[in-house]
Amino acid sequence: MGLFDFFTQEIAIDLGTANTLIIHNNKVVVDSPSIVAIDTKTGKMIAVGEKAKNMQGKTPDNIKTVRPLKDGVIADFDASAKMIKEFIRQVPGIKGKLFAPSLRMVICIPSGITEVEKRAVKDSANHFNAKFVRLIPEPMAAAIGIGIDIQEPKGNLIIDIGGGTTEIAVIALGGIVCDKSVKIAGDVFTNDISYYLRTHHNLYIGERTAERVKIDLGSAIEELEHAPDDLAVQGRDLITGKPKEIVINYKETAKALDKSLSRIEDAIMETLSLTPPELAADIYNTGVYLAGGGALLRGLDQRISKKTGLPVFLADDPLRAVVRGTGIALKNIDSFTFLEK
């Protein structure tokens, strides 16, 4: 170890559309919404993460809330740079330091992004004194985080449903054999619920309310063994313009999400159709693994199992499976040759 290695901090980042998570010393030290609040007159960031999310939909003209990532990639470079910088400052070992230490990073990226989008992620990292950056595809990180031995000559099917994209990949021998990335995930589910309430109940709700409905009631099927309680939802009546409250149940969310979930099912079947027969035989025995926040939709495992005819397993703590895998990759950089420079 060289002298300067003592001044180097290692962090693993899951730069997600909905949430950003950072691991440092094997612990998740940052888990915050990927959102910033900016003063439109000065361009200065006034809030980040949970504080900015609480402002969403409630800001005056001089403040706007921005989600810098869209579909899993950086859409607003300036806002994302400010957001990541603030999150990195919160990491123990960096927080309160007079001089920013050098950083060794592994950053998680969607499997289907372009070289230009990869470059944007690397450039963003290089803003923060990162002397060493590696990129890991989301399905690989999810598989590692779930506990799968990705180096084995055995096929595993991973489905990671995040905020911006759903990543579907067949993994074997430390690589992705075939994959599909579709831009249908948590954000689309939230919009589906908003649209359903507008068209079926004449109720206009904000993004935060729609997300709460998704979390509290969201279901992939209309017949659940353990049904959640009905939920009161407040918004604005589209006809009268008055504030209004309605009560909805989980079956309505299943109807709202059906079309989007069908498109994810189609992508899964397409990936399976491209899988080499020997790996298909493995998947028949190993089943399907679900990770990501979207995997928490009630009954989703049953729905996918019915469609594919395969057993479906939900990761322990699916929200953190990807960042856990990214953290393991950080500790085993020399062993994992698939990490991109």
Side-chain angles (χ1 to χ4, degrees), residues 269-340:
M269 298 309 293
E270 187 178 337
T271 306
L272 286 170
S273 72
L274 298 171
T275 304
E278 293 294 343
L279 294 180
D282 290 338
I283 292 167
Y284 183 82
N285 294 312
T286 58
V288 179
Y289 295 91
L290 276 179
L296 292 170
L297 276 179
R298 297 161 184 81
L300 182 60
D301 52 346
Q302 298 172 48
R303 178 168 175 152
I304 292 174
S305 182
K306 185 177 179 182
K307 180 72 175 180
T308 61
L310 299 168
V312 177
F313 306 101
L314 183 63
D316 294 331
D317 194 3
L319 283 164
R320 295 188 171 189
V322 169
V323 77
R324 277 202 311 269
T326 309
I328 293 168
L330 176 65
K331 294 296 180 187
N332 298 274
I333 282 173
D334 295 332
S335 304
F336 293 154
T337 56
F338 57 81
L339 295 174
E340 295 185 42

Side-chain angles (χ1 to χ4, degrees), residues 28-181:
V28 177
V29 293
V30 173
D31 183 354
S32 293
S34 300
I35 184 167
V36 296
I38 294 173
D39 187 319
T40 55
K41 292 178 180 176
T42 64
K44 184 181 177 183
M45 185 177 72
I46 56 177
V48 64
E50 197 65 48
K51 191 175 178 184
K53 186 175 182 179
N54 289 335
M55 298 179 179
Q56 199 173 13
K58 300 179 180 181
T59 57
D61 289 343
N62 65 311
I63 298 172
K64 67 173 181 178
T65 55
V66 177
R67 294 181 61 187
L69 290 107
K70 183 175 174 58
D71 302 330
V73 295
I74 293 171
D76 186 326
F77 189 85
D78 184 54
S80 69
K82 290 175 181 175
M83 180 185 77
I84 298 167
K85 188 173 184 178
E86 187 57 38
F87 286 151
I88 290 175
R89 278 180 180 158
Q90 297 172 17
V91 174
I94 299 173
K95 191 175 182 180
K97 294 280 185 183
L98 186 60
F99 299 104
S102 295
L103 298 174
R104 281 166 60 89
M105 292 187 189
V106 174
I107 304 174
C108 189
I109 55 168
S111 59
I113 71 172
T114 65
E115 290 300 322
V116 172
E117 289 164 340
K118 287 178 188 175
R119 174 56 57 192
V121 173
K122 291 176 193 171
D123 288 347
S124 181
N126 289 330
H127 268 67
F128 314 112
N129 207 23
K131 70 171 187 178
F132 180 97
V133 179
R134 293 290 183 270
L135 306 179
I136 181 171
E138 267 180 38
M140 296 294 278
I144 297 166
I146 289 168
I148 294 169
D149 185 351
I150 60 167
Q151 308 284 19
E152 278 193 327
K154 183 190 287 186
N156 290 284
L157 178 60
I158 313 296
I159 303 170
D160 173 42
I161 307 174
T165 61
T166 293
E167 308 285 321
I168 306 155
V170 175
I171 292 170
L173 288 169
I176 294 175
V177 179
C178 53
D179 68 317
K180 185 87 177 165
S181 179

Side-chain angles (χ1 to χ4, degrees), residues 240-269:
T240 66
K242 297 176 183 177
K244 172 181 170 181
E245 178 179 278
I246 62 165
V247 176
I248 62 170
N249 59 48
Y250 79 91
K251 293 185 179 183
E252 293 189 83
T253 66
K255 291 173 185 172
L257 300 174
D258 182 62
K259 192 175 289 185
S260 292
L261 291 174
S262 292
R263 290 173 67 187
I264 290 175
E265 287 176 332
D266 291 343
I268 295 168
M269 298 309 293

